[in-house]
Amino acid sequence: MDLKEKVAYITGGTKGIGFGIAECLLEQGMRVAISGRGREGVDNAVQQLNAKGKVMGLVSDVTRLQDEEQAADTILKEWGQLDVVIANAGVGHFSSIDEMESDHWHQMINTNLNGVFHTLKASVEALKKSEGYYMTVASLAGTNFFAQGAGYNATKFGVVGFTQAAMLDLRKYNIKATTIMPGSVASHFNQNEPSEKDYWKIQPEDIGRLVIDLLLMHPRTLPSKIEVRPTRPDLK
């Protein structure tokens, strides 16, 4: 794929992994739309990214299909195509299953799992036309269960399964689909404030570079599921 002037849409793109991916794609000459749930966060991210290239900020809640449909329509009206869609938005709440709040369970299901479906559903026809690429950002929690992670594990196991099945459905249209499963990332996830203490973790731009490598891979080859870990977690 020649990345120059290609169009990407990244959910949860205002900070963390989504923001890091956006930076890397803009540096490759792509046009990038990012979305988030709040206007202030979206505008702040766009302001930071503007110097790197053509960026569009959209307010969209991935738990609502109509929001994602409107986001895709806006991108198509403005830029005429949609080549890469990255379903990155996610939330996490961690507690023992006997203490887990129902609201937290449903928020994770609605964002992490329903959200990836809504994003693909809203964009799949555009991806058929562009023979594009759909990616989800899952987690190592999508293959490794742990105590106090029942809700998060359930959603990320679901994202991995959803993406792999979608890959089988969509490759006949020359659409690629990959799920990326990071371990610890220096992001704002789970109320973390990134700082020097996170030096040992995967950095958001590392995931961005991985996305570029996937996009530049020969069309005959599809890495459909990628696990990514910090090299030295013992240094934390």
Side-chain angles (χ1 to χ4, degrees), residues 3-219:
L3 301 186
K4 188 72 173 179
E5 291 298 314
K6 295 291 186 181
V7 175
Y9 172 44
I10 306 169
T11 68
T14 63
K15 58 185 178 181
I17 291 175
F19 187 90
I21 295 172
E23 284 187 303
C24 290
L25 297 188
L26 287 167
E27 289 168 357
Q28 295 294 311
M30 293 183 67
R31 294 171 284 176
V32 178
I34 60 170
S35 70
R37 287 180 296 173
R39 172 53 64 187
E40 182 178 359
V42 169
D43 288 346
N44 287 340
V46 168
Q47 186 175 13
Q48 295 176 64
L49 293 169
N50 262 331
K52 294 183 177 292
K54 298 176 183 177
V55 60
M56 178 192 308
L58 302 166
V59 176
S60 180
D61 184 342
V62 297
T63 68
R64 297 196 290 259
L65 175 58
Q66 60 270 32
D67 280 21
E68 286 297 274
E69 290 174 333
Q70 181 61 53
D73 287 346
T74 300
I75 295 167
L76 291 170
K77 287 176 182 176
E78 181 70 20
W79 286 335
Q81 65 195 76
L82 187 50
D83 305 288
V84 180
V85 174
I86 302 174
N88 166 72
V91 296
H93 300 287
F94 304 94
S95 63
S96 176
I97 190 62
D98 54 309
E99 299 175 350
M100 182 178 296
E101 296 181 18
S102 176
D103 287 351
H104 286 171
W105 169 270
H106 288 292
Q107 185 187 25
M108 286 187 285
I109 293 290
N110 287 333
T111 303
N112 300 356
L113 193 50
N114 292 344
V116 299
F117 167 70
H118 292 159
T119 300
L120 178 56
K121 184 68 174 177
S123 60
V124 68
E125 295 305 318
L127 290 174
K128 287 179 182 178
K129 291 179 181 178
S130 65
E131 297 187 348
Y133 212 134
Y134 173 69
M135 300 183 194
T136 59
V137 178
S139 169
L140 289 181
T143 193
N144 301 299
F145 52 85
F146 53 89
Q148 299 188 1
Y152 191 68
N153 284 144
T155 61
K156 292 304 184 178
F157 270 72
V159 170
V160 172
F162 170 81
T163 311
Q164 296 301 282
M167 177 268 296
L168 297 177
D169 290 338
L170 297 177
R171 58 185 178 179
K172 64 188 176 188
Y173 303 110
N174 292 321
I175 298 173
K176 286 186 172 185
T178 299
T179 187
I180 300 172
M181 305 166 64
S184 299
V185 179
S187 70
H188 293 83
F189 183 75
N190 197 26
Q191 300 180 334
N192 179 62
E193 189 62 36
S195 67
E196 292 181 0
K197 72 181 186 303
D198 294 322
Y199 72 96
W200 61 274
K201 295 180 180 179
I202 300 164
Q203 301 299 307
E205 60 269 24
D206 299 336
I207 305 299
R209 294 189 187 105
L210 174 57
V211 168
I212 292 168
D213 289 342
L214 288 169
L215 295 176
L216 293 178
M217 187 161 290
H218 195 285

